[in-house]
Amino acid sequence: MEGNLIDTTIAEIREISRGERITVAFSGGQDSTLVAALASEALGRDRVKLVNVCFGPYSYSRGLEIVVELADRLGLRLEFTPGYEAQEAVWKNGPSCNRCTRHAKLSSMRNSALGIIATGANQSDTWGQTGIALKDGFYAPIRGWDKKLIGMALEELKIHVPRIGEAPVREGCKLKHLLKIMANPSYHGYAVAISNEILLDCLESFPHTLANVKIAGPLSKNIALVNVSPLPPVELRERITAMLGRVEEIDEVRWIDGETKLKILANPGIYNSEEARYWIERGRLAPEFAFPVSFEWTRSTNRRLETFQVVDSWRL
Protein backbone atom coordinates (compact mmCIF):
# COMPACT_ATOMS: atom_id res chain seq x y z
CA MET A 1 0.00 0.00 0.00
CA GLU A 2 1.07 3.63 -0.22
CA GLY A 3 3.93 3.97 2.24
CA ASN A 4 2.81 7.04 4.15
CA LEU A 5 -0.99 6.50 4.26
CA ILE A 6 -0.91 4.94 7.72
CA ASP A 7 1.41 7.68 9.01
CA THR A 8 -0.67 10.52 7.57
CA THR A 9 -3.86 9.06 9.07
CA ILE A 10 -2.19 8.73 12.47
CA ALA A 11 -1.08 12.35 12.22
CA GLU A 12 -4.59 13.48 11.32
CA ILE A 13 -6.07 11.60 14.29
CA ARG A 14 -3.69 13.49 16.59
CA GLU A 15 -4.66 16.78 14.97
CA ILE A 16 -8.44 16.21 14.97
CA SER A 17 -8.53 14.90 18.55
CA ARG A 18 -6.03 17.51 19.78
CA GLY A 19 -4.44 14.71 21.77
CA GLU A 20 -7.56 14.22 23.88
CA ARG A 21 -9.45 10.99 24.52
CA ILE A 22 -11.26 9.34 21.64
CA THR A 23 -14.01 6.68 21.50
CA VAL A 24 -14.07 4.16 18.65
CA ALA A 25 -17.39 2.73 17.46
CA PHE A 26 -16.14 -0.84 17.48
CA SER A 27 -17.98 -3.62 15.64
CA GLY A 28 -15.07 -6.05 15.49
CA GLY A 29 -14.96 -5.85 11.69
CA GLN A 30 -11.99 -4.82 9.57
CA ASP A 31 -12.89 -1.12 9.32
CA SER A 32 -13.35 -0.37 13.02
CA THR A 33 -10.42 -2.60 13.99
CA LEU A 34 -8.10 -0.59 11.76
CA VAL A 35 -9.42 2.68 13.21
CA ALA A 36 -8.89 1.35 16.75
CA ALA A 37 -5.30 0.35 15.95
CA LEU A 38 -4.48 3.70 14.32
CA ALA A 39 -6.07 5.66 17.17
CA SER A 40 -4.08 3.66 19.70
CA GLU A 41 -0.88 4.38 17.83
CA ALA A 42 -1.75 8.07 17.56
CA LEU A 43 -2.86 8.73 21.14
CA GLY A 44 -1.74 5.83 23.29
CA ARG A 45 -3.91 3.05 24.69
CA ASP A 46 -5.00 4.98 27.77
CA ARG A 47 -6.68 7.65 25.59
CA VAL A 48 -8.70 5.25 23.42
CA LYS A 49 -11.94 3.49 24.43
CA LEU A 50 -13.85 0.96 22.33
CA VAL A 51 -17.65 0.87 22.47
CA ASN A 52 -19.61 -1.94 20.85
CA VAL A 53 -23.31 -1.40 20.18
CA CYS A 54 -24.82 -4.78 21.01
CA PHE A 55 -27.83 -5.67 18.87
CA GLY A 56 -28.80 -8.71 20.91
CA PRO A 57 -30.52 -11.35 18.76
CA TYR A 58 -29.58 -9.47 15.59
CA SER A 59 -25.84 -9.87 16.24
CA TYR A 60 -24.13 -13.09 15.19
CA SER A 61 -23.34 -15.23 18.22
CA ARG A 62 -19.66 -15.47 17.28
CA GLY A 63 -19.47 -11.69 16.87
CA LEU A 64 -19.32 -10.75 20.55
CA GLU A 65 -16.56 -13.29 21.17
CA ILE A 66 -14.52 -11.76 18.36
CA VAL A 67 -15.09 -8.21 19.66
CA VAL A 68 -13.75 -9.22 23.08
CA GLU A 69 -10.80 -11.12 21.57
CA LEU A 70 -9.76 -8.20 19.36
CA ALA A 71 -10.06 -5.62 22.14
CA ASP A 72 -7.86 -7.79 24.34
CA ARG A 73 -5.33 -8.25 21.55
CA LEU A 74 -5.22 -4.48 20.94
CA GLY A 75 -4.93 -3.85 24.68
CA LEU A 76 -7.84 -1.41 24.68
CA ARG A 77 -10.70 -0.82 27.10
CA LEU A 78 -14.02 -2.18 25.82
CA GLU A 79 -17.59 -1.33 26.80
CA PHE A 80 -20.96 -2.53 25.47
CA THR A 81 -24.13 -0.49 24.97
CA PRO A 82 -27.53 -1.87 23.86
CA GLY A 83 -29.05 -0.99 20.50
CA TYR A 84 -31.52 -3.70 19.50
CA GLU A 85 -34.67 -1.91 20.71
CA ALA A 86 -33.76 1.11 18.58
CA GLN A 87 -33.17 -1.25 15.65
CA GLU A 88 -36.61 -2.75 16.03
CA ALA A 89 -38.15 0.74 16.15
CA VAL A 90 -36.51 1.62 12.81
CA TRP A 91 -37.60 -1.61 11.11
CA LYS A 92 -41.25 -1.05 12.10
CA ASN A 93 -41.40 1.24 9.07
CA GLY A 94 -39.39 -0.94 6.69
CA PRO A 95 -35.74 -1.85 6.02
CA SER A 96 -33.31 1.07 6.31
CA CYS A 97 -29.65 0.50 7.16
CA ASN A 98 -28.95 4.25 6.98
CA ARG A 99 -31.66 5.09 9.52
CA CYS A 100 -30.50 2.22 11.68
CA THR A 101 -26.97 3.62 11.71
CA ARG A 102 -28.22 7.09 12.66
CA HIS A 103 -30.92 6.21 15.18
CA ALA A 104 -29.65 2.95 16.67
CA LYS A 105 -25.88 2.76 16.39
CA LEU A 106 -24.81 6.41 16.52
CA SER A 107 -27.39 7.45 19.11
CA SER A 108 -26.32 4.57 21.36
CA MET A 109 -22.69 5.56 20.89
CA ARG A 110 -23.35 9.12 22.07
CA ASN A 111 -24.56 7.77 25.41
CA SER A 112 -21.24 6.00 26.03
CA ALA A 113 -18.73 8.32 24.40
CA LEU A 114 -15.68 10.08 25.75
CA GLY A 115 -14.65 12.89 23.41
CA ILE A 116 -14.82 12.49 19.66
CA ILE A 117 -16.35 9.27 18.29
CA ALA A 118 -14.27 7.65 15.55
CA THR A 119 -16.06 5.42 13.04
CA GLY A 120 -14.92 3.04 10.32
CA ALA A 121 -16.71 4.94 7.53
CA ASN A 122 -14.84 4.44 4.24
CA GLN A 123 -15.36 4.41 0.48
CA SER A 124 -17.76 1.46 0.69
CA ASP A 125 -20.44 3.54 2.44
CA THR A 126 -22.23 6.85 1.86
CA TRP A 127 -20.49 8.81 4.62
CA GLY A 128 -17.04 7.86 3.41
CA GLN A 129 -17.95 8.89 -0.11
CA THR A 130 -18.89 12.40 1.06
CA GLY A 131 -15.30 12.98 2.16
CA ILE A 132 -16.44 14.72 5.36
CA ALA A 133 -13.94 14.17 8.16
CA LEU A 134 -15.82 15.42 11.22
CA LYS A 135 -19.53 16.04 11.74
CA ASP A 136 -21.63 16.33 14.92
CA GLY A 137 -18.84 14.80 17.01
CA PHE A 138 -18.34 11.81 14.71
CA TYR A 139 -15.02 11.43 12.93
CA ALA A 140 -14.13 9.24 9.92
CA PRO A 141 -10.32 8.86 9.82
CA ILE A 142 -10.33 6.26 6.99
CA ARG A 143 -13.05 7.95 4.90
CA GLY A 144 -10.84 7.94 1.80
CA TRP A 145 -9.79 4.29 2.09
CA ASP A 146 -11.29 1.40 0.13
CA LYS A 147 -11.62 -2.21 1.29
CA LYS A 148 -8.43 -3.28 -0.46
CA LEU A 149 -6.36 -0.61 1.31
CA ILE A 150 -7.96 -1.46 4.65
CA GLY A 151 -7.04 -5.12 4.22
CA MET A 152 -3.47 -4.25 3.19
CA ALA A 153 -3.04 -1.95 6.20
CA LEU A 154 -4.24 -4.64 8.61
CA GLU A 155 -1.81 -7.07 7.03
CA GLU A 156 1.01 -4.56 7.36
CA LEU A 157 0.10 -4.01 11.02
CA LYS A 158 -0.08 -7.81 11.49
CA ILE A 159 -3.68 -7.69 12.72
CA HIS A 160 -5.90 -10.63 11.79
CA VAL A 161 -9.65 -9.93 11.92
CA PRO A 162 -11.75 -13.13 12.08
CA ARG A 163 -14.92 -13.47 10.07
CA ILE A 164 -18.01 -12.44 12.04
CA GLY A 165 -20.92 -12.83 9.68
CA GLU A 166 -21.71 -14.20 6.27
CA ALA A 167 -18.52 -13.44 4.35
CA PRO A 168 -14.93 -12.31 5.00
CA VAL A 169 -15.55 -8.60 4.32
CA ARG A 170 -19.01 -8.40 5.89
CA GLU A 171 -19.79 -7.67 9.50
CA GLY A 172 -22.25 -8.92 12.01
CA CYS A 173 -25.75 -7.50 11.46
CA LYS A 174 -28.47 -10.04 10.71
CA LEU A 175 -31.36 -7.58 10.64
CA LYS A 176 -30.31 -6.20 7.24
CA HIS A 177 -31.59 -9.52 5.84
CA LEU A 178 -35.17 -8.78 6.99
CA LEU A 179 -36.60 -7.33 3.79
CA LYS A 180 -39.96 -6.29 5.21
CA ILE A 181 -41.63 -4.30 7.96
CA MET A 182 -40.96 -5.75 11.42
CA ALA A 183 -44.56 -5.59 12.57
CA ASN A 184 -43.94 -8.37 15.10
CA PRO A 185 -40.38 -8.86 16.42
CA SER A 186 -41.16 -12.31 17.81
CA TYR A 187 -42.28 -13.42 14.33
CA HIS A 188 -40.41 -11.37 11.73
CA GLY A 189 -37.34 -10.58 13.86
CA TYR A 190 -36.96 -14.08 15.26
CA ALA A 191 -37.17 -15.61 11.77
CA VAL A 192 -34.23 -13.58 10.44
CA ALA A 193 -32.19 -14.01 13.63
CA ILE A 194 -32.48 -17.79 13.96
CA SER A 195 -32.36 -18.64 10.24
CA ASN A 196 -29.00 -16.95 9.69
CA GLU A 197 -27.48 -18.67 12.74
CA ILE A 198 -28.73 -22.04 11.47
CA LEU A 199 -27.29 -21.43 8.01
CA LEU A 200 -23.82 -20.49 9.24
CA ASP A 201 -23.74 -23.44 11.63
CA CYS A 202 -24.58 -25.81 8.77
CA LEU A 203 -21.90 -24.26 6.54
CA GLU A 204 -19.12 -24.39 9.14
CA SER A 205 -17.12 -26.95 7.12
CA PHE A 206 -18.25 -25.78 3.66
CA PRO A 207 -16.05 -23.04 2.11
CA HIS A 208 -18.20 -20.11 0.95
CA THR A 209 -17.91 -16.47 -0.01
CA LEU A 210 -21.52 -15.50 0.70
CA ALA A 211 -24.17 -16.97 3.01
CA ASN A 212 -27.37 -15.38 4.23
CA VAL A 213 -31.09 -15.99 4.61
CA LYS A 214 -33.33 -13.15 3.45
CA ILE A 215 -36.76 -13.03 5.07
CA ALA A 216 -39.26 -11.78 2.48
CA GLY A 217 -42.97 -12.14 1.78
CA PRO A 218 -46.15 -10.36 2.88
CA LEU A 219 -46.46 -9.50 6.56
CA SER A 220 -48.49 -12.66 7.24
CA LYS A 221 -45.90 -15.02 5.67
CA ASN A 222 -42.16 -15.40 6.21
CA ILE A 223 -40.42 -16.70 3.09
CA ALA A 224 -36.78 -17.67 3.72
CA LEU A 225 -34.64 -16.94 0.64
CA VAL A 226 -31.39 -18.87 1.09
CA ASN A 227 -28.30 -17.39 -0.59
CA VAL A 228 -25.04 -19.34 -0.61
CA SER A 229 -22.15 -18.95 -3.01
CA PRO A 230 -20.88 -21.30 -4.23
CA LEU A 231 -24.04 -23.39 -4.16
CA PRO A 232 -23.66 -26.30 -1.70
CA PRO A 233 -24.17 -29.92 -2.78
CA VAL A 234 -27.73 -31.24 -2.84
CA GLU A 235 -27.36 -33.21 0.40
CA LEU A 236 -26.27 -30.14 2.35
CA ARG A 237 -29.02 -28.01 0.81
CA GLU A 238 -31.62 -30.58 1.82
CA ARG A 239 -30.28 -30.61 5.37
CA ILE A 240 -30.42 -26.81 5.60
CA THR A 241 -33.93 -26.74 4.12
CA ALA A 242 -35.13 -29.30 6.66
CA MET A 243 -33.65 -27.39 9.60
CA LEU A 244 -35.10 -24.07 8.47
CA GLY A 245 -38.44 -25.73 7.81
CA ARG A 246 -38.63 -26.82 11.44
CA VAL A 247 -38.59 -23.18 12.59
CA GLU A 248 -42.20 -22.33 13.40
CA GLU A 249 -41.78 -18.68 12.33
CA ILE A 250 -40.62 -19.67 8.81
CA ASP A 251 -43.49 -20.55 6.47
CA GLU A 252 -41.56 -21.42 3.30
CA VAL A 253 -37.94 -22.04 2.28
CA ARG A 254 -36.65 -21.17 -1.20
CA TRP A 255 -33.09 -21.53 -2.49
CA ILE A 256 -31.73 -18.80 -4.73
CA ASP A 257 -30.07 -21.18 -7.21
CA GLY A 258 -30.26 -19.19 -10.42
CA GLU A 259 -31.29 -15.83 -11.87
CA THR A 260 -34.22 -14.55 -9.83
CA LYS A 261 -36.81 -11.77 -10.02
CA LEU A 262 -37.91 -9.97 -6.85
CA LYS A 263 -41.27 -8.26 -6.45
CA ILE A 264 -40.90 -5.13 -4.34
CA LEU A 265 -43.48 -2.88 -2.74
CA ALA A 266 -42.16 0.65 -2.25
CA ASN A 267 -43.16 3.82 -0.49
CA PRO A 268 -44.32 6.40 -3.11
CA GLY A 269 -41.22 8.51 -2.52
CA ILE A 270 -38.97 5.60 -3.46
CA TYR A 271 -41.26 4.27 -6.18
CA ASN A 272 -41.23 7.65 -7.96
CA SER A 273 -37.44 8.07 -7.70
CA GLU A 274 -35.36 6.26 -10.28
CA GLU A 275 -32.21 7.05 -8.29
CA ALA A 276 -33.63 5.61 -5.04
CA ARG A 277 -34.81 2.43 -6.78
CA TYR A 278 -31.42 2.01 -8.46
CA TRP A 279 -29.59 2.33 -5.14
CA ILE A 280 -31.83 -0.31 -3.52
CA GLU A 281 -31.41 -2.62 -6.51
CA ARG A 282 -27.67 -2.34 -7.08
CA GLY A 283 -26.32 -1.02 -3.78
CA ARG A 284 -28.54 -2.74 -1.25
CA LEU A 285 -29.92 -6.00 -2.70
CA ALA A 286 -27.95 -7.34 -5.66
CA PRO A 287 -24.56 -7.62 -3.85
CA GLU A 288 -26.11 -9.87 -1.19
CA PHE A 289 -27.73 -12.40 -3.51
CA ALA A 290 -25.90 -15.48 -4.73
CA PHE A 291 -27.19 -15.14 -8.32
CA PRO A 292 -28.22 -12.20 -10.54
CA VAL A 293 -31.50 -10.56 -9.58
CA SER A 294 -33.96 -8.37 -11.46
CA PHE A 295 -36.84 -6.39 -10.03
CA GLU A 296 -40.55 -5.71 -10.40
CA TRP A 297 -41.65 -2.60 -8.53
CA THR A 298 -45.14 -1.84 -7.19
CA ARG A 299 -46.31 1.33 -5.48
CA SER A 300 -47.37 0.58 -1.90
CA THR A 301 -50.55 1.92 -0.30
CA ASN A 302 -49.40 0.97 3.21
CA ARG A 303 -48.75 4.26 4.99
CA ARG A 304 -46.54 2.52 7.57
CA LEU A 305 -44.06 1.48 4.88
CA GLU A 306 -41.48 4.25 4.66
CA THR A 307 -38.97 2.33 2.53
CA PHE A 308 -39.49 -0.97 0.67
CA GLN A 309 -40.57 -4.58 1.16
CA VAL A 310 -39.74 -7.68 -0.91
CA VAL A 311 -43.00 -9.59 -1.08
CA ASP A 312 -42.23 -12.39 -3.57
CA SER A 313 -39.57 -14.00 -5.75
CA TRP A 314 -39.46 -16.39 -8.66
CA ARG A 315 -36.77 -18.14 -10.71
CA LEU A 316 -36.26 -16.84 -14.24
Side-chain angles (χ1 to χ4, degrees):
M1 63 181 300
E2 296 179 20
N4 67 346
L5 186 56
I6 290 176
D7 292 337
T8 55
T9 304
I10 289 171
E12 184 191 86
I13 292 171
R14 290 190 183 120
E15 179 183 356
I16 293 288
S17 68
R18 298 180 181 178
E20 299 296 327
R21 292 181 177 182
I22 200 168
T23 298
V24 177
F26 189 66
S27 68
Q30 290 188 336
D31 309 335
S32 62
T33 298
L34 177 59
V35 169
L38 296 177
S40 178
E41 182 66 27
L43 305 173
R45 294 176 180 175
D46 60 332
R47 287 194 172 99
V48 179
K49 180 176 76 168
L50 310 180
V51 174
N52 175 267
V53 181
C54 181
F55 294 119
Y58 310 120
S59 296
Y60 288 97
S61 57
R62 173 70 175 127
L64 293 181
E65 298 174 16
I66 292 172
V67 165
V68 173
E69 290 170 9
L70 283 170
D72 184 63
R73 210 184 309 162
L74 293 168
L76 295 172
R77 176 184 171 190
L78 171 66
E79 292 182 3
F80 292 95
T81 187
Y84 70 93
E85 290 183 348
Q87 266 195 319
E88 291 179 344
V90 168
W91 245 254
K92 283 182 179 180
N93 300 112
S96 179
C97 291
N98 287 338
R99 289 184 187 177
C100 194
T101 297
R102 292 196 306 270
H103 300 298
K105 186 174 182 178
L106 298 185
S107 293
S108 297
M109 282 296 306
R110 279 196 176 96
N111 296 330
S112 304
L114 290 173
I116 292 172
I117 302 170
T119 77
N122 57 79
Q123 287 296 298
S124 70
D125 53 58
T126 52
W127 182 0
Q129 291 167 14
T130 67
I132 298 172
L134 184 65
K135 183 178 181 181
D136 298 329
F138 290 93
Y139 168 43
I142 59 170
R143 60 196 176 278
W145 299 48
D146 59 24
K147 289 291 187 180
K148 182 178 179 181
L149 283 174
I150 290 168
M152 292 171 65
L154 288 168
E155 185 175 347
E156 186 170 324
L157 295 170
K158 296 181 171 55
I159 300 173
H160 170 65
V161 180
R163 174 190 295 194
I164 289 180
E166 61 188 275
V169 298
R170 298 175 189 270
E171 298 181 4
C173 178
K174 290 182 283 189
L175 195 58
K176 65 181 177 180
H177 300 306
L178 179 61
L179 302 183
K180 60 164 73 177
I181 286 174
M182 190 192 291
N184 183 353
S186 63
Y187 176 58
H188 304 113
Y190 183 79
V192 76
I194 192 64
S195 62
N196 279 280
E197 289 289 347
I198 289 171
L199 179 64
L200 292 190
D201 285 346
C202 290
L203 294 175
E204 188 173 2
S205 59
F206 177 75
H208 58 276
T209 57
L210 179 72
N212 64 69
V213 180
K214 306 288 189 189
I215 300 297
L219 292 181
S220 61
K221 181 179 181 181
N222 282 336
I223 302 171
L225 306 179
V226 188
N227 293 275
V228 180
S229 181
L231 201 62
V234 173
E235 298 80 5
L236 181 53
R237 275 182 275 164
E238 289 176 346
R239 179 186 167 209
I240 293 169
T241 300
M243 293 187 69
L244 292 175
R246 287 197 287 269
V247 177
E248 184 177 351
E249 290 76 10
I250 293 177
D251 302 289
E252 183 180 347
V253 180
R254 301 178 186 174
W255 277 84
I256 304 299
D257 57 1
E259 188 174 354
T260 300
K261 177 167 280 191
L262 303 177
K263 182 177 181 180
I264 305 177
L265 293 180
N267 169 277
I270 291 175
Y271 180 80
N272 293 323
S273 170
E274 183 176 350
E275 182 180 359
R277 294 198 312 272
Y278 182 84
W279 183 88
I280 290 171
E281 290 177 0
R282 300 304 159 193
R284 175 74 164 78
L285 295 176
E288 296 180 351
F289 275 81
F291 287 87
V293 285
S294 57
F295 307 90
E296 178 183 300
W297 290 86
T298 301
R299 186 179 183 274
S300 174
T301 58
N302 183 352
R303 294 183 179 181
R304 290 178 55 198
L305 182 61
E306 295 181 358
T307 55
F308 70 95
Q309 178 167 316
V310 177
V311 294
D312 206 352
S313 71
W314 56 91
R315 173 79 181 272
L316 294 177

